[in-house]
Amino acid sequence: MEQYIYIFTIILELIVFSQAASAIVKLDKKVVEINREVLLLKEEIEVGIKTFRKLIKKFNKVASFIVKVKKFNIKKVILIGVDVVNLFFLFKTFKAYRGLSKINFFKKVFSYSLIKGFFKVALNNLTK
């Protein structure tokens, strides 16, 4: 009778061992799949980090340009840009002025700070 019990326990141990071995093999396959996915994610993350670094470099260039412009008084730069746009639209309407109203047109043109600044610079360069 004891021999039957030993044989039965050995058979049970073999069954448990085979089930444990198959579970280990399945888990090992899952670990290999997860490892592959992590490696793929690592490559994607590295590419993302490189593009993020490029964006930061571009942003730093823009920020340094803005800081330089700020040193040169950004308000004046914006006002000059607005004056240029206004002059552009003013010259677009030049055909509408006739006769004496053209004098008023030229008064408007020479009232812009851009034109005044141009003539100041031109006069300063001529007097030197």
Side-chain angles (χ1 to χ4, degrees), residues 1 5 8-9 15 21 26 29-30 32 35 48 54 57 60-61 63 66 73-74 77-78 92 99 106 126 128:
M1 184 82 180
I5 294 175
F8 183 70
T9 56
I15 292 171
K26 288 179 185 176
K29 289 179 182 177
K30 286 183 181 179
V32 169
N35 190 20
K54 289 178 183 176
K57 287 179 182 178
N60 284 340
K61 288 179 183 178
I66 290 172
N73 198 350
I74 195 165
V77 172
I78 291 173
K92 283 283 204 174
F106 287 117
L126 289 176
K128 285 183 181 179

Side-chain angles (χ1 to χ4, degrees), residues 35-67:
N35 190 20
R36 286 182 190 153
E37 291 176 6
V38 167
L39 289 174
L40 290 174
L41 283 175
K42 177 187 168 192
E43 292 173 2
E44 291 177 8
I45 289 172
E46 287 175 351
V47 169
I49 289 173
K50 287 178 184 177
T51 56
F52 186 69
R53 284 182 183 165
K54 289 178 183 176
L55 287 174
I56 287 177
K57 287 179 182 178
K58 289 179 182 178
F59 176 76
N60 284 340
K61 288 179 183 178
V62 171
S64 66
F65 176 74
I66 290 172
V67 168

Side-chain angles (χ1 to χ4, degrees), residues 22-128:
S22 67
I24 289 173
V25 168
K26 288 179 185 176
L27 291 176
D28 186 49
K29 289 179 182 177
K30 286 183 181 179
V31 167
V32 169
E33 289 175 18
I34 291 172
N35 190 20
R36 286 182 190 153
E37 291 176 6
V38 167
L39 289 174
L40 290 174
L41 283 175
K42 177 187 168 192
E43 292 173 2
E44 291 177 8
I45 289 172
E46 287 175 351
V47 169
I49 289 173
K50 287 178 184 177
T51 56
F52 186 69
R53 284 182 183 165
K54 289 178 183 176
L55 287 174
I56 287 177
K57 287 179 182 178
K58 289 179 182 178
F59 176 76
N60 284 340
K61 288 179 183 178
V62 171
S64 66
F65 176 74
I66 290 172
V67 168
K68 287 177 186 176
V69 169
K70 190 175 182 182
K71 288 179 184 174
F72 295 121
N73 198 350
I74 195 165
K75 184 178 176 183
K76 287 183 182 177
V77 172
I78 291 173
L79 289 175
I80 288 172
V82 170
D83 280 345
V84 167
V85 170
N86 284 335
L87 281 173
F88 174 74
F89 286 117
L90 190 63
F91 281 118
K92 283 283 204 174
T93 62
F94 179 70
K95 291 180 182 178
Y97 289 95
R98 299 184 193 280
L100 291 176
S101 61
K102 286 194 178 187
I103 295 172
N104 290 332
F105 173 81
F106 287 117
K107 281 184 186 177
K108 279 187 182 180
V109 169
F110 289 112
S111 68
Y112 282 99
S113 61
L114 182 69
I115 303 292
K116 287 181 183 176
F118 172 75
F119 282 115
K120 283 181 185 176
V121 170
L123 289 174
N124 286 339
N125 287 337
L126 289 176
T127 57
K128 285 183 181 179

